[in-house]
Amino acid sequence: MTLVTGPGHDDTGHDRTEGPASGLLAGRSVALVHEWFGSTGGSEKVFLSIGDAIAHAERFVLWKDGDAHEESAMRESWLARTPLKASKALALPFMPVAWRTLSRKDYDVVISSSHAFAHTVKLGSSERTRYLSYVHSPARYVWSPHFDGRGANPALGLPRKALQAADVRLSRHVHSYAANSREVQARIRRYWKRDAHVVNPPVDVEFYAGAPAGDREQPRDYLLGVGRWIPYKNFDLMIEIAAASGLPLVIAGKGPEEAALRRLAAKVDVPVRFEVRPSDERLRELYWGARALLFPTHEDFGIIPVEAQACGTPVIGIDSGGLKETVVHGETGFLVDSLDPGQFVPAVRGVAKLDRARVQAGAAAFSQDAFVANLSRWVTDATG
């Protein structure tokens, strides 16, 4: 392997820092890698939190999307300089090569933040370098097309099999996995035949719980839906639930389904208000004003329901995925085993009986501090 020398490196190819690093993995060279970095969503927030916990690490991404506002130093792969950046689907076959050609340096520890193929990254020999991977999910469109329509086309059956085989073969060097939930832990065991620790993602519980008095004193007179406006999030179902319950609905977020959702909203007998790209402060205000958060979708973990609970807002969702870990049925919300709008009506009525202080207290287990503590235990155990 050719070593990089010059400013910031010594003649062995290792980093030459201004002083000794402190904290997690102090004194060891570390690379953090993530898939493409877009407008800050759940996986991006986890990557940034890992970077905060290991501040001296170098950060790599395939590319940064145009709507990414993160200003911290991130090195992009060569894919960022090609037209493939505009199409994740077309870029897929080239990602394994990109993950093997990010840098010519050796590192003591490489930690990937993976929801596609970042866990296949290799920056040095597996004998010298410890490889750890924090997994948001094995690529849904490769392994779980029933959750993600991008891989559900029958014509993609053979390519999907090839990608599955490559995914397993190219990740054999990973020494330790962490999963963002028990749901993903089970999926890693099923698809990759590997064990994984569970390290739940960080949620800024303190920010959402510490709302101004004006936010806290709202009448809580509407239902709320939050997230990307894409089909599998089931915002159309949220509109139908609100109509069946006879309550106003606020939909906060953005996405390609906006026009279709507005057309559907115009047909129901309850008010539906759209909040496009609300700020964090505005979103916190919306959480505090809601009677309940509607979240009738299968997510691997789901940060949004925890944010809502940090505001004392119960969650009404489906009885599957990460909600089974973050919502205590009958105490911090209700989980419904159905996608029939009418089946959610009793839950909407039942939230009035819940103790909002109990709802809020349940979110503390998913705080930033809890994440750092769990992450540190995993990294320390995995790296000796």
Side-chain angles (χ1 to χ4, degrees):
M1 176 177 289
T2 303
L3 299 174
V4 177
T5 59
H9 301 88
D10 62 24
D11 58 5
T12 67
H14 290 99
D15 283 338
R16 189 173 64 237
T17 58
E18 294 297 323
S22 60
L24 188 59
L25 296 178
R28 305 174 80 170
S29 59
V30 184
L32 304 180
V33 304
H34 184 67
E35 314 284 356
W36 48 89
F37 194 93
S39 58
T40 307
S43 66
E44 285 88 352
K45 288 179 180 178
V46 171
F47 180 58
L48 295 177
S49 292
I50 296 174
D52 289 342
I54 313 172
H56 66 286
E58 293 188 58
R59 305 181 189 191
F60 296 87
V61 294
L62 288 176
W63 63 74
K64 292 171 69 172
D65 286 342
D67 57 354
H69 301 298
E70 176 55 33
E71 299 299 329
S72 62
M74 293 183 189
R75 294 174 58 183
E76 297 179 295
S77 76
W78 53 265
L79 281 173
R81 301 186 296 275
T82 73
L84 293 170
K85 176 181 177 179
S87 173
K88 297 178 178 69
L90 293 177
L92 274 178
F94 300 92
M95 289 181 188
V97 178
W99 288 131
R100 300 301 175 101
T101 55
L102 277 180
S103 172
R104 291 177 293 170
K105 290 175 54 181
D106 283 322
Y107 293 88
D108 296 321
V109 181
V110 176
I111 302 176
S112 57
S113 165
S114 181
H115 55 76
F117 299 107
H119 71 125
T120 67
V121 67
K122 199 166 187 181
L123 299 173
S125 69
S126 52
E127 291 76 23
R128 178 192 181 280
T129 303
R130 296 294 292 180
Y131 288 91
L132 285 62
S133 185
Y134 185 98
V135 180
H136 308 278
S137 174
R140 280 184 165 196
Y141 37 86
V142 173
W143 294 100
S144 310
H146 51 292
F147 290 145
D148 192 323
R150 289 174 294 180
N153 189 326
L156 298 177
L158 288 178
R160 188 164 55 243
K161 288 291 185 183
L163 287 171
Q164 288 174 354
D167 199 27
V168 172
R169 185 180 70 256
L170 295 175
S171 59
R172 288 172 180 158
H173 61 284
V174 176
H175 294 98
S176 183
Y177 280 106
N180 72 351
S181 63
R182 292 195 297 270
E183 166 83 7
V184 171
Q185 180 190 46
R187 215 175 292 165
I188 289 172
R189 186 177 297 119
R190 184 183 318 128
Y191 300 144
W192 297 342
K193 313 303 181 188
R194 299 289 299 272
D195 292 326
H197 302 262
V198 174
V199 179
N200 294 131
V203 181
D204 196 350
V205 171
E206 293 79 7
F207 171 80
Y208 288 99
D215 290 355
R216 295 166 175 265
E217 295 164 2
Q218 296 179 80
R220 294 190 181 271
D221 55 1
Y222 56 84
L223 299 174
L224 177 65
V226 177
R228 288 177 295 155
W229 299 338
I230 54 179
Y232 92 86
K233 298 286 189 177
N234 291 334
F235 279 92
D236 53 347
L237 177 57
M238 296 181 205
I239 293 172
E240 294 172 355
I241 292 170
S245 302
L247 287 172
L249 175 67
V250 176
I251 295 178
K254 64 174 183 175
E257 292 292 299
E258 180 176 353
L261 292 172
R262 287 185 182 275
R263 287 194 295 270
L264 178 60
K267 298 177 181 178
V268 298
D269 295 328
V270 297
V272 179
R273 187 171 85 247
F274 289 78
E275 293 264 351
V276 182
R277 298 188 179 187
S279 66
D280 290 342
E281 289 76 16
R282 177 57 177 157
L283 182 57
R284 178 175 63 184
E285 183 181 357
L286 291 171
Y287 281 139
W288 275 95
R291 183 171 303 185
L293 174 79
L294 299 181
F295 204 77
T297 185
H298 181 105
E299 286 285 11
D300 303 321
F301 176 74
I303 288 176
I304 288 168
V306 180
E307 292 175 347
Q309 290 175 84
C311 300
T313 302
V315 177
I316 299 173
I318 58 176
D319 190 17
S320 71
L323 288 181
K324 297 168 73 72
E325 297 177 52
T326 60
V327 177
V328 181
H329 180 73
E331 294 186 26
T332 68
F334 294 99
L335 301 179
V336 180
D337 188 18
S338 173
L339 292 178
D340 177 354
Q343 296 300 309
F344 287 83
V345 174
V348 172
R349 294 172 179 162
V351 295
K353 301 177 182 178
L354 300 182
D355 180 354
R356 292 188 181 272
R358 167 69 182 91
V359 174
Q360 194 171 29
F366 306 100
S367 68
Q368 177 74 24
D369 288 345
F371 171 76
V372 171
N374 293 332
L375 175 79
S376 298
R377 280 194 292 270
W378 168 55
V379 170
T380 300
D381 290 346
T383 58

